[in-house]
Structure formats: structure tokens, C-alpha cells
Amino acid sequence: MIILIKNGEIYAPKYLGKKDIILENNKIAGIYENVKISPDMLNFFDVKVINAEGKIIVPGFIDPHVHINGGGGEGSFRTRTPEINISELLSNGITTVVGCLGTDGFCRDGKELFAKAKALDEEGMTTYINTGSYQIPVKTITDSITNDIMLIDKVIGVGEIALSDHRSSQASYFEFKSIVAEAKNAGLLSGKGGITNVHLGDGKRPLHYLFKVLEETEISAKYMIPTHINRNEETFKRSIEYAKVGGNLDITTSNDPEHVLKGERRASDALKDLLDAGVPIERIQFSSDAQGSLPVFNDLGKVIGIGIGSASSLYREVRHAILEHKISIEDAISVVTANTAEHYRMLKKGKLETGNDADIVVIDTKDLNICHVIAKGRVAVFDQKQLIKGTFEK
Ligand code: ZN
């Protein structure tokens, strides 16, 4: 099928003006001025025309940190969170996801994560996974990190490896350094990112090991992406220094904007503060941490239970950054598209360019709400109606 999206304002995420996009067989076939179709053509070809007048067209969003097969469990077994459904991702514009394991890398493992990623893929979106979890030594699917990254298409890196957290393995710097080196080299040999995704906890030594790697090895900062950098003041400050020596930063969007903890920043505020501190926009990405467990607060700010990180927070924070902080659409969209694709070496993702994958989000110009979503060349959401659903979703 050919899809023609007409008259939208295109943010690729760089602004290209009002143009038409043609999608064919899961690829962007081209971006043109005012494409005209003769009625004859419609008799011979299966063409769907979408009128995007008054709308913004952007690349499909990439969420690089989602517990797709569930997470949590820190409050005993009943606090294990459920798997994600594809509609929760697609309805929020997420067309590419990187699945990972967190605290529980024991009852959940890489094979289960791989199976869930394959399921989402079959249902209609692009998926990748990291090997490992919080723990060091890393529990792999095959016999090594290298073999996981080199031999399993879906595996693009390692993580989330926990540092500066009471739930981490309290491993040595030497062990951490070896993981980063192995992932990087396997990435080089297989044409993948080979990134180590580093979970930063509330401990007193955020990014300590990352800076040590930069001081004592030849490995560049881009191979370690710290996440949850907006969780407290000290971590945030050190992360700014890390970006200034070439590191890329991952801001977590899943916190409760009504009950932001002391020192914590909601993601859109963190984005503004990073830009104000002189961090180049290219170094910044968002991830939702969806299906991770989250504390729930009452009106007095007391913890009354455990909730779940949500995929809806990813675009919620992008929208908030544009509307409230007046960050440009180009910059705000880049933290969930082009920047993320660049950081993880996803070559056909994150930009609206001829030959790239046909992952597209159409947004209403007036209220910036998502109208349509196209994933792998199929219309997944149209006029906010979910067309692609999970196998067991009603
Ligand atoms: Zn984490």
C-alpha cells in the first residue's frame, strides 16, 4: 500500500515547511511539494491519502528505556508490574522501543525479554533490547555480552546496569569498565550502538565510575548513557558535567508531575535547565521507564502505594516543554527522535528522510495532541482511534 500524507508542516525534526510525504512498503519513498494524483492512478494502485492540513508531521518516537515485559518487584512479588500492551506505546506515538530488565534479573530474564520484543514486533512496531539487568556480573542470553550483541539481532547494548543505588550489585569499577568495553567492541563489530545504559540511583556517587572510565581508558563518553539523571540535584549537576565532556544524557519522563520529590525535576523542566546550562540539544534524549514501579502519593505527599511508569509520559513531557517552556518544536521533538536514533546508531530511525522507516506521528497544530500514528508503514492510530492492537487486547 502507498500512503500519501498531504499538506502537513513537516518537522523532520528540522523544519522543512509544508510538504507531502509518500510512504511505500514500510519506507519513506519521498518528500515533495504538492503531489498531484490523477483519479486514474487510484484505479491501479492501492493509495491511502491522509489530509494533514493544520497538522504537524514528525518522526515516530523512540523510547529507549521501557520494561516491556514488566519490572518492579521491590515490594515483594505482588509488586511485580505487568507487561506492556502495544496500544499503550502506539497511542502515545512510540513506534520504536528498547526493552530492558531492571532490579529483577532473576525471575525475569533475557529470553523472556526477547520473546516480548518479538511479540511487539509481530504486532506492528520496531523493537530492540538490551542484554543484562541491574546486576553485575551481567546475566546474558548466550554465553557472553559479545555473543548477545553480535549474534542476536534485537540486542543492541547492555543495561540497565545499576550504579550508586542500594539495589545495585555494588560491583567494582574494574567489573563495570569491562562491561562497557565489551559492549562497545561488540557494537563496533556488529554495526550496532554497543551502548551501556546506566541506571543512576539515589546514592552519593552518581556517575563516579563513568568519569573514571573517561580518565583511565580510551573509551569515549558516548558509550555510556546514564538514565534517571533528573532524580536529584547532585545527579543532575554531575550529569551536566558529563554532557560537557561529550556524554549523552537520558531524562526519565515517568514521574508524577503533581508530586515531584525534593531535588527531582519533571523531564520537561530538566530539558529546559540543561539547555540553559549550555548542554547541546543533540546530547539529550527522553525515555519513559514505562512499566517500572513508581511510588504513589496522597494529597499530603505521603507514599500510599506503588504505581507504574507510563508510556504516555514521554510525549506529555515533550508537549509540556513546547507549550510551557517555549522550547522549539524542532528541539523538543529531537529528544524523542533524531537524538535517540543517533545515540543508539539506529540508522533508519528518528528522521523523516527518503529511505528511512515509515514511522510517523501526525499532531494537531492547535493543541499539540496526537491525531494519527503510522508504524512500519501501517496506520496504527487514526483520529485517535486505535487500529493496531495487541493480540489479546479488546
Ligand atoms: Zn532504572
Side-chain angles (χ1 to χ4, degrees), residues 249-301:
L249 305 178
D250 186 63
I251 301 174
T252 301
T253 57
S254 266
N255 53 12
D256 180 355
E258 304 292 314
H259 295 101
V260 176
L261 300 170
K262 196 168 176 288
E264 187 187 27
R265 281 169 170 80
R266 70 179 285 184
S268 44
D269 298 352
L271 173 59
K272 169 130 194 3
D273 291 347
L274 288 180
L275 293 175
D276 288 348
V279 174
I281 185 71
E282 295 77 23
R283 299 263 156 79
I284 308 168
Q285 62 179 50
F286 278 2
S287 70
S288 72
D289 202 8
Q291 308 309 102
S293 57
L294 275 182
V296 176
F297 302 92
N298 67 11
D299 290 345
L300 300 170

Side-chain angles (χ1 to χ4, degrees), residues 155-373:
V155 179
I156 59 168
V158 185
E160 57 175 321
I161 301 285
L163 293 184
S164 196
D165 193 307
H166 66 94
R167 295 164 294 177
S168 81
S169 299
Q170 312 302 338
S172 70
Y173 159 70
F174 179 79
E175 291 170 285
F176 174 74
K177 176 177 76 169
S178 305
I179 291 166
V180 176
E182 189 174 352
K184 178 190 80 69
N185 291 339
L188 292 180
L189 291 169
S190 56
K192 297 176 179 177
I195 303 299
T196 300
N197 183 220
V198 183
H199 158 107
L200 300 176
D202 271 323
K204 289 203 174 69
R205 291 167 298 275
L207 296 111
H208 175 64
Y209 283 179
L210 284 76
F211 282 109
K212 221 165 143 71
V213 168
L214 301 188
E215 282 159 22
E216 297 182 7
T217 77
E218 298 73 35
I219 297 170
S220 87
K222 71 173 188 172
Y223 289 104
M224 300 168 281
I225 300 186
T227 186
H228 318 317
I229 62 143
N230 47 325
R231 73 183 305 148
N232 63 46
E233 198 57 43
E234 180 60 19
T235 304
F236 193 71
K237 267 200 248 157
R238 292 289 280 159
S239 298
I240 290 172
E241 291 164 28
Y242 189 64
K244 291 194 169 164
V245 292
N248 298 321
L249 305 178
D250 186 63
I251 301 174
T252 301
T253 57
S254 266
N255 53 12
D256 180 355
E258 304 292 314
H259 295 101
V260 176
L261 300 170
K262 196 168 176 288
E264 187 187 27
R265 281 169 170 80
R266 70 179 285 184
S268 44
D269 298 352
L271 173 59
K272 169 130 194 3
D273 291 347
L274 288 180
L275 293 175
D276 288 348
V279 174
I281 185 71
E282 295 77 23
R283 299 263 156 79
I284 308 168
Q285 62 179 50
F286 278 2
S287 70
S288 72
D289 202 8
Q291 308 309 102
S293 57
L294 275 182
V296 176
F297 302 92
N298 67 11
D299 290 345
L300 300 170
K302 249 186 108 179
V303 177
I304 53 167
I306 297 181
I308 302 177
S310 167
S312 65
S313 65
L314 192 82
Y315 181 63
R316 178 195 73 201
E317 292 303 304
V318 170
R319 186 172 174 272
H320 192 259
I322 298 167
L323 294 175
E324 299 301 319
H325 294 308
K326 309 300 174 205
I327 290 172
S328 70
I329 294 174
E330 291 188 358
D331 283 355
I333 289 292
S334 74
V335 304
V336 291
T337 58
N339 300 356
T340 320
E342 178 73 25
H343 298 168
Y344 292 93
R345 206 167 189 272
M346 296 174 183
L347 301 178
K348 299 288 178 194
K349 300 288 182 189
K351 283 186 182 166
L352 299 180
E353 280 175 7
T354 302
N356 275 4
D357 291 349
D359 299 329
I360 287 185
V361 179
V362 181
I363 296 167
D364 195 297
T365 312
K366 282 194 215 88
D367 55 16
L368 293 187
N369 286 327
I370 293 172
C371 304
H372 320 309
V373 179

Side-chain angles (χ1 to χ4, degrees), residues 26-240:
N26 185 22
K27 293 287 170 203
I28 297 172
I31 300 173
Y32 307 97
E33 304 275 348
N34 198 15
V35 175
K36 292 211 168 53
I37 299 188
S38 69
D40 276 359
M41 240 181 108
L42 296 172
N43 293 333
F44 295 107
F45 297 103
D46 184 10
V47 183
K48 179 179 175 63
V49 181
I50 296 175
N51 178 14
E53 188 72 47
K55 307 233 174 6
I56 292 167
I57 319 278
V58 300
F61 305 151
I62 303 166
D63 192 339
H65 189 110
V66 177
H67 298 284
I68 55 174
N69 64 327
E74 289 105 326
S76 188
F77 293 107
R78 70 194 179 95
T79 64
R80 286 157 55 82
T81 67
E83 289 187 1
I84 202 161
N85 284 318
I86 194 168
S87 63
E88 292 168 67
L89 295 160
L90 293 174
S91 63
N92 291 297
I94 299 162
T95 54
T96 301
V97 76
V98 183
C100 63
L101 297 172
T103 326
D104 181 5
F106 307 99
C107 289
R108 299 185 200 278
D109 68 12
K111 278 192 259 182
E112 188 195 0
L113 180 67
F114 172 81
K116 176 65 185 179
K118 290 291 282 186
L120 290 171
D121 204 323
E122 286 177 13
E123 288 171 343
M125 65 180 299
T126 304
T127 59
Y128 302 102
I129 58 172
N130 285 328
T131 187
S133 62
Y134 270 23
Q135 284 84 42
I136 297 175
V138 172
K139 221 169 99 184
T140 51
I141 300 173
T142 65
D143 60 356
S144 68
I145 292 171
T146 301
N147 279 335
D148 279 9
I149 293 176
M150 289 193 65
L151 304 181
I152 304 173
D153 283 351
K154 290 222 171 285
V155 179
I156 59 168
V158 185
E160 57 175 321
I161 301 285
L163 293 184
S164 196
D165 193 307
H166 66 94
R167 295 164 294 177
S168 81
S169 299
Q170 312 302 338
S172 70
Y173 159 70
F174 179 79
E175 291 170 285
F176 174 74
K177 176 177 76 169
S178 305
I179 291 166
V180 176
E182 189 174 352
K184 178 190 80 69
N185 291 339
L188 292 180
L189 291 169
S190 56
K192 297 176 179 177
I195 303 299
T196 300
N197 183 220
V198 183
H199 158 107
L200 300 176
D202 271 323
K204 289 203 174 69
R205 291 167 298 275
L207 296 111
H208 175 64
Y209 283 179
L210 284 76
F211 282 109
K212 221 165 143 71
V213 168
L214 301 188
E215 282 159 22
E216 297 182 7
T217 77
E218 298 73 35
I219 297 170
S220 87
K222 71 173 188 172
Y223 289 104
M224 300 168 281
I225 300 186
T227 186
H228 318 317
I229 62 143
N230 47 325
R231 73 183 305 148
N232 63 46
E233 198 57 43
E234 180 60 19
T235 304
F236 193 71
K237 267 200 248 157
R238 292 289 280 159
S239 298
I240 290 172

